[in-house]
Amino acid sequence: MSNVNNPFMQGNQAKPTCREMLQTILDGEASEEQRNYFKAHMDQCRPCYSSYDLDMAIKKLLQCNCCGGDVPTELIDQIKTQITQKLPL
């Protein structure tokens, strides 16, 4: 996707990584324009699509089972790392 109209671009014009865009979405900090851009990006980027689905599933599971509050990013990352290490490639 082109960076020209990328709503995730910062003031310093640093190109955001897929992970940075995904984290903004998952944290609920993305604007509607950013969500639409990332949705279009996921249609072309299989790793983002897979990460989004896995992250959302983990986040929903933890929110339902862990006091209903926000889940620390570190915990999600640890769980994801353990899952990916055990999954066959």
Side-chain angles (χ1 to χ4, degrees), residues 23-71:
Q23 197 60 52
T24 302
I25 298 291
L26 293 173
D27 289 345
E29 298 172 354
S31 67
E32 183 175 348
E33 181 183 17
Q34 288 171 322
R35 287 190 302 273
N36 291 336
Y37 179 89
F38 190 74
K39 183 182 180 309
H41 173 79
M42 278 194 311
D43 291 342
Q44 298 176 8
C45 182
R46 183 71 181 155
C48 281
Y49 181 81
S50 298
S51 290
Y52 177 81
D53 283 345
L54 179 59
D55 284 356
M56 287 303 290
I58 291 170
K59 192 169 187 169
K60 286 179 183 178
L61 177 67
L62 291 173
Q63 283 178 337
C64 290
N65 295 303
C66 293
C67 308
D70 288 334
V71 178

Side-chain angles (χ1 to χ4, degrees), residues 4-33:
V4 175
N5 296 319
N6 185 332
F8 288 92
M9 296 289 280
Q10 301 297 315
N12 62 4
Q13 295 301 308
K15 179 184 175 194
T17 64
C18 291
R19 185 74 189 151
E20 290 169 335
M21 291 189 293
L22 177 60
Q23 197 60 52
T24 302
I25 298 291
L26 293 173
D27 289 345
E29 298 172 354
S31 67
E32 183 175 348
E33 181 183 17

